Amino acid sequence: MTDNPAEVVRYRTEGPVAVVTMNRPRYRNAQNSAMTYALDDAFYRAAEDPAVKVVVLAGAGDHFSAGHDIGTPDRDIDQTFPRRAGLWWDHVGRPGAESRFAREEEVYLGMCRRWRDLPKPTIAMVQGACVAGGLMLAWVCDLIVAAQDAFFADPVVRMGIPGVEYFAHPMVMGPRFAKEFLFLGERIDAQRARELGMVNRVVPRADLEPEVMALAGRIAAMPALGLALAKKAVNQVEDVMGLQTGIDSAFGLHQLAHAHNAEVGADSLAGHDARTMRDAQRDGTPGS
Ligand code: ZN
């Protein structure tokens, strides 16, 4: 069954809070380009609406997001979408690494950077899987509130790739643990993520939405400009600490890995798809 593109992302407001919901629960909210651009529409709408003070990013169903779409019937990597994150040319019809670089720069990295700087506080509301590309969406939010059933992993080293495109790992969990996280590719639970400073709060699954909405409501009582400037101040400090240049340098290595895979093997993902990655993670993670 294919998605109805109009429903790939849902948008609603509750008072001063906009709730943006990824809506491909059948595929654990795997992100295709249709979803990326629908998310961008939703964030832009929230940014423009003066009545919206805080934005919540959610995933419909049992999982926040299992990552980028690497195998659903609606995978759309060969489609053209109007570019917004940068002025690089369209990837469609371009050969080899050029196509991959152009697409990932726009659809993954560029969009995440764009959303990270949305001038209103954002809260990721995470349950279940928050894996690979799912991490990127949680990380670009200002706060992360996780249900006790949430788990986090970036298993792409198994593909020979040094982490997902938005390479914030050392910044969000510290360089020492970032290496373990990448080397093993195993899941960490919500409590561990909180101990690492990656997650603000962990709550029972049933309390996730009410807790997030209450938190959003308290933040929304603050002046909009004060919130925007506080956010920008912290983001600027992260940038001074090297977040953006680190991401740029890692993105080059990420593209090298894709190109190496394509050059020596079957494809840029070293022959993996969503199923083999999920199975490998199950096998490699005790108790999961
Ligand atoms: Zn990639």
Side-chain angles (χ1 to χ4, degrees):
M1 181 179 285
T2 59
D3 298 317
N4 175 353
E7 296 176 350
V8 168
V9 169
R10 297 197 311 254
Y11 183 96
R12 73 175 200 275
T13 56
E14 290 187 25
V17 182
V19 181
V20 176
T21 305
M22 295 177 277
N23 191 33
R24 301 186 74 202
R26 176 186 301 267
Y27 304 114
R28 303 200 300 169
N29 295 317
Q31 302 159 38
N32 55 10
S33 292
M35 179 184 280
T36 300
Y37 285 94
L39 282 171
D40 195 62
D41 287 340
F43 288 135
Y44 202 86
R45 182 175 170 185
E48 288 279 22
D49 184 349
V52 170
K53 302 282 292 291
V54 179
V55 182
V56 170
L57 176 61
D62 293 334
H63 302 280
F64 179 75
S65 175
H68 296 143
D69 188 340
I70 56 173
T72 81
D74 289 301
R75 192 180 188 204
D76 52 9
I77 61 169
D78 295 327
Q79 291 181 33
T80 291
F81 290 82
R83 289 168 307 288
R84 299 178 202 173
L87 271 174
W88 204 272
W89 53 74
D90 189 16
H91 70 285
V92 174
R94 300 284 176 170
E98 178 182 339
S99 176
R100 201 176 305 112
F101 175 86
R103 178 172 181 275
E104 296 202 343
E105 175 88 19
E106 158 75 15
V107 175
Y108 298 150
L109 181 53
M111 285 293 192
C112 278
R113 283 176 152 158
R114 184 172 153 91
W115 302 336
R116 180 252 190 178
D117 288 329
L118 193 160
K120 298 180 179 181
T122 52
I123 306 174
M125 182 165 76
V126 179
Q127 81 284 12
C130 182
V131 173
L135 291 170
M136 297 169 43
L137 292 192
W139 288 346
V140 298
C141 291
D142 300 311
L143 308 183
I144 301 176
V145 179
Q148 285 170 343
D149 71 352
F151 58 91
F152 304 84
D154 186 356
V156 302
V157 170
R158 193 174 294 281
M159 299 171 165
I161 298 171
V164 287
E165 292 83 0
Y166 187 86
F167 193 80
H169 312 58
M171 192 67 75
V172 299
M173 61 182 68
R176 185 74 61 189
F177 190 78
K179 289 175 182 168
E180 180 177 330
F181 190 69
L182 288 164
F183 292 169
L184 293 174
E186 293 176 354
R187 299 174 174 182
I188 59 170
D189 65 17
Q191 190 56 40
R192 182 76 174 115
R194 199 180 75 80
E195 290 164 7
L196 290 161
M198 197 182 93
V199 160
N200 293 81
R201 300 176 184 204
V202 180
V203 299
R205 177 71 181 87
D207 297 340
L208 181 62
E209 184 159 355
E211 286 272 352
V212 168
M213 295 307 289
L215 179 62
R218 285 165 55 203
I219 295 170
M222 301 293 270
L225 182 60
L227 291 169
L229 296 180
K231 172 169 181 165
K232 194 169 180 61
V234 176
N235 284 4
Q236 285 177 173
V237 170
E238 278 189 318
D239 293 348
V240 169
M241 291 166 71
L243 176 65
Q244 298 300 340
T245 49
I247 288 174
D248 280 331
S249 67
F251 189 66
L253 302 178
H254 180 100
Q255 294 303 318
L256 170 66
H258 275 313
H260 174 77
N261 286 341
E263 187 175 343
V264 304
D267 59 40
S268 67
L269 301 179
H272 280 290
D273 59 18
R275 184 174 303 276
T276 64
M277 290 299 285
R278 194 174 61 220
D279 291 348
Q281 256 217 312
R282 277 205 187 108
D283 295 343
T285 308
S288 65

